[in-house]
Amino acid sequence: MATTEPDTQPRAEPTAAQAAQAAILARPATEERRMADAIRALAMDAVEAAKSGHPGMPMGMADAATVLWSKFLKYDAADPRWPDRDRFVLSAGHGSMLLYSLLHLTGHAGMGTEELRRFRQLHSPAAGHPEFGEHPAIETTTGPLGQGISTAVGMALAERMLASRFGKSLVDHRTWVIASDGDLQEGISHEAASLAGHLKLEKLTVLWDDNNISIDGDTSLSFSEDVLKRFQAYGWAVRRVDGHDHQELAGAMSQALRSRKPTLIACRTIIGFAAPKKAGTAASHGAPLGGDEIAAAKSALGWNAEPFTVPEGLKGRWEEAGRRSAGTRRSWLKRLAKHPMRADFELATAGKLPENWTEALNALRAEWAEAKPKLATRVASQKSLEALVPAVPEMVGGSADLTGSNNTNVKGIPVVRPGDYGGRFVHWGVREHGMAAAMNGMALHGGLIPYSGTFLVFADYLRPALRLAALMHQRVIHVLTHDSIGLGEDGPTHQPVETLASLRAIPNCFVFRPADAMETAECWEMALRRADGPSVLALTRQGVPALREEAGENRCARGGYVLAEAEGGERQVTLIATGSEVSVAVAARKALAEAGIRAAVVSLPSWELFAAQDVGYRASVLGAAPRIGIEAALPFGWERWLGERSAFVGMQGFGASAPAEALFEHFGITPAAVVAAARKLVEGDR
């Protein structure tokens, strides 16, 4: 007869997280806790169905999200784009099922059970990370850590600026963020949080999911600073709470409503809350819990409903929360209907430009056609802004501590200051990445058209935010000056030889590199007209000659055009250039004509606009003759326009420190070099 040996193995002591979890689960299960459990159950179910995802954060922050969405957040599920709603940003975008669960539970159309069942599947609005445009209640794309909280700073700033313009009766809302440990480690969040404290953005509140867990394990592996002291130093109000105690959470959020500073609430939570083995560990961060662990977690919660099912009474409470601000919205609509600035408000929030906004710009173009000034395109840009900014009240400028170099300021336009948001120019400080993310937030908020400046080479510092602007189809405009070796003595660290190619590689990002003052004005017009993505204006430090003598049609609108056709017969060679090198091409054309070679000059200020033209137009501009590309940058990407019989006159490596004229001569970006390349191509055809 078989016998069973007694279990003599010592039982493992519970971890600190398991002990804390047991104590929390021993508390009475209030109706509010049951509401939070609905989020946990849906998150577990969706991640398990997808066989991928991040269940831990939604399970840990379910209580904080429940308090926020049921008691504090101003929203109406029936109208998720109501202009005076509070903005909610899930900066920790990997925990996307937290947001999708909230939208589902509160009765938002378009996030039903079937959408949750298709979490992370093709064409589902419940994408792996929240994607702007996939559902009207998703305020911004998040996932790259640090971007969400930094974008939210721009939203909070936009609210203050629009309230200053239109008054509290139309604009009076808050911005709420759920951020992770990783968000607060990313450098961009330091930039943005510092700025928010400086500007006293009191209507910004961040709920920090303080769970001490990263993908590699405990955050102590790499992170030991006192975050609350850091934020206090930035000028924030701070508070630490038990992230699973609804009363503490509500008290902290109530305090944030009264604060005269932005507020950080550290919510001490247990990642993967309720999972018996994986709670409090990195194992719950980025992978399904598995059937057994889910069953045990639901058992610990007392959750007996089928997957993707929420008991009717509980769902009713959530839907009631989704209607909580319906009356507030109706009252706002009545105020809007009677408001004397209604037309301006609706025009701004719709992203439309005022009537006759190009009049002053067209007058400037006509003046330039007559005077033919030799200007740096950064100076021509400033003069264009002097015509545009007074005509377009939604335009908000700025610079990352390079105002006098970027020429983004306009005389008479006041500056935004701490507590005074009536200005339209922001001193961003040396915070290129934070600046670009906040600009995204301003555009996403609506009502503003942000433009700002830095050097072109520092696009590398803001690229992740620019990429998100392109992904989200947001109208932000980056004035990037000192665009080539033409900046001269500052040397190769500041000479962006590879940057144009890298920006042109970003889908839906339009790069404009104008050749002279006229083209600069035309490119500004196109950047403002563009409402479905970001624009970059790459502008010179050095003066460039006027190349255009007419001010009628905006010739840059098609991206590229024939500036000067070959004389005396068919083309033998086509010189294609951008920016300051168009004048090099014009000089080379003249020298070639004297040598009996017929050359045409094509200005190609926007590759993206040119690529969007029909094949026939592009062929008529580029012609069938051999082509030479001319740009003071690396040749990467130029093969698209040059074809087989071609040459490139430009950079092959980094620049150097010297006056601009010496550098162009040293690196062989001269009319003589173009003539030599043209002779070789043409004579090779004979």
Side-chain angles (χ1 to χ4, degrees):
M1 180 177 177
T3 60
T4 302
E5 293 292 328
D7 183 3
T8 58
Q9 294 295 319
R11 293 185 179 275
E13 289 293 322
T15 65
Q18 289 170 331
Q21 177 170 279
I24 295 166
L25 288 170
R27 299 172 186 169
T30 63
E31 195 68 15
E32 289 77 13
R33 220 294 300 281
R34 300 290 292 161
M35 292 173 72
D37 289 344
I39 297 173
R40 295 184 174 101
L42 290 172
M44 287 188 279
D45 293 341
V47 173
E48 186 67 20
K51 301 301 179 189
S52 74
H54 300 74
M57 193 282 276
M59 296 170 71
M61 281 298 281
D63 296 297
T66 297
V67 173
L68 175 61
W69 281 63
S70 65
K71 290 186 166 77
F72 291 92
L73 191 71
K74 184 173 73 169
Y75 69 106
D76 185 355
D79 185 3
R81 302 306 293 173
W82 165 35
D84 201 38
R85 69 194 180 279
D86 283 358
R87 269 53 171 184
F88 172 73
V89 174
L90 183 66
S91 192
H94 55 273
S96 57
M97 268 309 302
L98 177 68
L99 177 56
Y100 305 148
S101 297
L102 289 163
L103 299 183
H104 171 74
L105 291 166
T106 52
H108 282 77
M111 196 59 76
T113 302
E114 285 308 307
E115 283 76 19
L116 298 187
R117 288 182 182 275
R118 294 190 296 111
F119 175 55
R120 286 181 158 240
Q121 306 309 302
L122 188 62
H123 304 310
S124 171
H129 293 84
E131 300 289 348
F132 178 80
E134 292 296 327
H135 188 279
I138 298 174
E139 299 284 4
T140 181
T141 295
T142 55
L145 292 175
Q147 291 287 340
I149 183 175
S150 306
T151 300
V153 169
M155 293 178 177
L157 177 56
E159 189 274 343
R160 294 286 74 203
M161 295 178 71
L162 290 169
S164 180
R165 179 183 177 190
F166 293 109
K168 191 175 180 180
S169 64
L170 289 187
V171 185
D172 184 18
H173 53 266
R174 304 186 66 84
T175 303
W176 301 85
V177 181
I178 287 181
S180 65
D181 291 305
D183 281 302
L184 301 191
Q185 290 179 37
E186 285 284 0
I188 184 176
S189 71
H190 296 239
E191 294 182 18
S194 171
L195 181 70
H198 169 73
L199 290 176
K200 302 186 187 303
L201 299 179
E202 62 190 51
K203 302 184 84 171
L204 172 65
T205 302
V206 175
L207 308 178
W208 167 31
D209 181 18
D210 180 19
N211 62 31
N212 289 335
I213 293 297
S214 64
I215 292 176
D216 283 354
D218 195 284
T219 54
S220 62
L221 291 169
S222 60
F223 195 63
S224 54
E225 68 201 48
D226 188 323
V227 173
L228 296 190
K229 286 184 178 178
R230 168 157 63 91
F231 272 75
Q232 278 184 315
Y234 290 149
W236 289 53
V238 299
R239 183 165 172 179
R240 186 181 296 283
V241 299
D242 177 347
H244 300 292
D245 185 314
H246 288 231
Q247 189 171 348
E248 278 194 36
L249 286 160
M253 292 182 208
S254 293
Q255 189 175 11
L257 298 183
R258 301 188 298 271
S259 175
R260 302 302 299 272
K261 302 176 179 180
T263 300
L264 176 73
I265 302 173
C267 306
R268 179 55 59 85
T269 63
I270 299 170
I271 190 171
F273 179 81
K277 296 179 181 177
K278 296 184 178 181
T281 73
S284 68
H285 171 82
L289 297 179
D292 291 345
E293 187 80 351
I294 289 174
K298 288 183 176 180
S299 176
L301 295 170
W303 188 269
N304 301 314
E306 292 294 313
F308 294 102
T309 303
V310 178
E312 282 302 317
L314 207 54
K315 185 67 161 66
R317 281 206 64 169
W318 266 116
E319 290 175 350
E320 183 181 342
R323 296 188 296 269
R324 189 171 53 82
S325 299
T328 303
R329 180 177 67 88
R330 287 192 293 270
S331 297
W332 181 87
L333 287 169
K334 290 177 183 177
R335 293 197 302 275
L336 175 65
K338 299 176 182 178
H339 201 283
M341 297 186 72
R342 175 184 176 178
D344 289 340
F345 181 83
E346 291 180 335
L347 187 78
T349 53
K352 296 180 180 178
L353 297 167
E355 287 187 19
N356 304 319
W357 64 276
T358 60
E359 281 188 357
L361 188 68
N362 289 339
L364 180 65
R365 292 176 61 224
E367 178 186 323
W368 281 342
E370 183 72 23
K372 302 178 183 59
K374 180 178 181 179
L375 295 173
T377 54
R378 62 173 176 151
V379 175
S381 170
Q382 184 174 39
K383 293 182 180 298
S384 298
L385 286 170
E386 288 168 356
L388 289 168
V389 171
V392 185
E394 293 72 35
M395 291 181 70
V396 175
S399 173
D401 197 47
L402 288 168
T403 301
S405 294
N406 300 147
N407 298 95
T408 46
N409 57 321
V410 173
K411 187 177 181 180
I413 297 298
V415 171
V416 172
R417 303 182 190 280
D420 179 2
Y421 309 102
R424 291 169 56 200
F425 189 88
V426 182
H427 287 291
W428 295 102
V430 188
R431 301 184 180 100
E432 295 89 354
H433 199 179
M435 172 182 77
M439 289 168 65
N440 289 351
M442 297 168 86
L444 286 160
H445 180 282
L448 299 176
I449 302 173
Y451 71 90
S452 275
T454 185
F455 288 171
L456 179 59
V457 76
F458 299 141
D460 287 342
Y461 284 161
L462 59 80
R463 181 183 310 277
L466 177 60
R467 180 179 185 270
L468 284 186
L471 182 61
M472 295 187 289
H473 296 269
Q474 292 304 298
R475 176 165 52 191
V476 296
I477 302 170
H478 292 279
V479 178
L480 303 181
T481 68
H482 296 58
D483 70 345
S484 73
I485 60 169
L487 69 87
E489 292 86 346
D490 277 344
T493 58
H494 284 54
Q495 292 166 4
V497 295
E498 80 285 13
T499 313
L500 285 169
S502 67
L503 295 179
R504 288 167 177 157
I506 300 175
N508 197 41
C509 176
F510 281 21
V511 179
F512 295 93
R513 190 165 186 251
D516 65 356
M518 185 70 71
E519 282 199 0
T520 303
E522 291 178 350
C523 288
W524 256 115
E525 179 183 340
M526 297 312 299
L528 271 178
R529 287 190 184 279
R530 184 170 194 239
D532 62 348
S535 297
V536 166
L537 283 88
L539 305 174
T540 68
R541 174 182 184 268
Q542 75 276 22
V544 291
L547 301 174
R548 292 265 299 279
E549 298 180 356
E550 81 290 339
E553 173 192 1
N554 183 330
R555 303 194 71 186
C556 291
R558 303 190 77 171
Y561 62 97
V562 179
L563 175 64
E565 189 52 270
E567 295 180 357
E570 290 188 1
R571 298 182 196 177
Q572 292 175 282
V573 65
T574 301
L575 312 179
I576 310 170
T578 77
S580 49
E581 288 69 68
V582 177
S583 61
V584 174
V586 169
R589 173 182 176 270
K590 180 180 179 182
L592 285 168
E594 292 170 355
I597 296 176
R598 298 184 300 276
V601 174
V602 169
S603 179
L604 205 63
S606 172
W607 290 17
E608 297 77 23
L609 279 175
F610 189 65
Q613 306 306 308
D614 62 81
V615 174
Y617 177 77
R618 295 201 307 268
S620 70
V621 170
L622 298 176
R627 302 167 189 169
I628 299 175
I630 312 162
E631 189 170 65
L634 298 181
F636 192 85
W638 270 92
E639 64 277 0
R640 181 178 189 182
W641 310 119
L642 296 184
E644 292 184 5
R645 292 187 304 154
S646 64
F648 179 78
V649 175
M651 298 295 292
Q652 299 298 325
F654 291 115
S657 175
E661 298 82 358
L663 290 173
F664 278 97
E665 186 70 32
H666 174 73
F667 288 108
I669 307 173
T670 62
V674 176
V675 168
R679 280 184 175 277
K680 188 174 181 181
L681 284 173
V682 172
E683 291 169 1
D685 283 347
R686 290 174 179 168

